[in-house]
Amino acid sequence: QTDELKVAKDVLKTFAKYACSLEQYDELGMLFEKIKAYPESLEMLEKCYKNASEPSQLYSIRSNFAKVYNCLNEPLKSLHYSSANLEINPLDINLKLEQSLSYYLYGDHQKSWTIQTNLLNDKTLPKDIQDRINFNIGTFDLNNGLFKQGLKKIIVNGKNIGLWPSIKKPFKK
């Protein structure tokens, strides 16, 4: 861990000592997650869950639990929360993608692939979501021996979602 991340974590822990509202716990949980301090993020999410009273708050907190548990490579816990929310809103694309990641981490690549290809059948998906899904499907293609097809999806869609910088050529056409 870099010195900056350690300092950031220490500062956030100090703020966490004095946090007393759902909004503060939520903000701290998000910040801990951004610096990849996932156990601390979970601690804040648990405090959020205890203080939440509105169904929309609980929905959001469960979505965040699903994301953090996937970051901790605990896909079954993530599936618990994403499945609960998908029962409420079966059309939540981001949760379906999170659930797909959970299945992938769990080793059920076929179920993960099926979720993503089913999502691609929705022609109303925003372009950035289509690009993310096509990037992911490129990894499935690589794993299944379709090297050229998979690599092309990873390169093209990876560029579209901003995974690597655009290089400006030093000459004019």
Side-chain angles (χ1 to χ4, degrees):
Q1 198 174 40
T2 65
D3 289 340
E4 292 88 5
L5 289 177
K6 183 183 179 327
V7 170
K9 186 176 177 179
D10 289 342
V11 168
L12 291 175
K13 282 183 172 184
T14 301
F15 283 128
K17 289 179 188 177
Y18 302 101
C20 59
S21 70
L22 176 67
E23 292 77 16
Q24 291 170 339
Y25 297 136
D26 184 51
E27 187 69 25
L28 286 164
M30 181 192 68
L31 292 171
F32 276 123
E33 188 264 334
K34 281 189 177 190
I35 63 167
K36 300 182 184 338
Y38 302 119
E40 291 82 359
S41 182
L42 280 179
E43 184 180 332
M44 292 298 110
L45 284 170
E46 288 164 4
K47 289 181 179 187
C48 284
Y49 205 77
K50 289 177 185 172
N51 288 284
S53 58
E54 300 292 323
S56 62
Q57 293 170 332
L58 293 168
Y59 187 91
S60 177
I61 294 165
R62 283 190 298 267
S63 294
N64 291 336
F65 267 124
K67 181 177 181 179
V68 172
Y69 275 125
N70 271 341
C71 290
L72 286 168
N73 199 20
E74 296 189 39
L76 294 178
K77 289 181 181 178
S78 178
L79 282 168
H80 169 76
Y81 290 103
S82 61
S83 296
N85 275 0
L86 284 170
E87 286 181 21
I88 296 166
N89 181 6
L91 301 177
D92 188 326
I93 294 166
N94 288 318
L95 266 177
K96 287 182 179 181
L97 288 172
E98 201 65 51
Q99 192 176 56
S100 173
L101 175 58
S102 297
Y103 284 117
Y104 189 86
L105 292 172
Y106 186 63
D108 192 343
H109 297 174
Q110 182 61 42
K111 190 154 192 162
S112 178
W113 180 85
T114 300
I115 290 169
Q116 295 206 24
T117 54
N118 286 343
L119 282 171
L120 272 181
N121 290 332
D122 179 358
K123 299 305 176 197
T124 64
L125 278 180
K127 173 124 174 58
D128 63 316
I129 301 286
Q130 290 177 19
D131 288 338
R132 282 174 41 202
I133 293 170
N134 280 316
F135 176 86
N136 293 342
I137 289 176
T139 63
F140 289 112
D141 290 345
L142 285 176
N143 288 338
N144 292 321
L146 302 169
F147 183 79
K148 187 176 179 181
Q149 179 179 320
L151 188 60
K152 182 177 179 182
K153 286 179 183 171
I154 288 173
I155 291 171
V156 170
N157 294 290
K159 181 180 182 294
N160 291 346
I161 61 178
L163 288 181
W164 22 84
S166 296
I167 298 172
K168 296 184 179 183
K169 297 178 181 161
F171 52 86
K172 295 180 182 179
K173 288 187 177 184

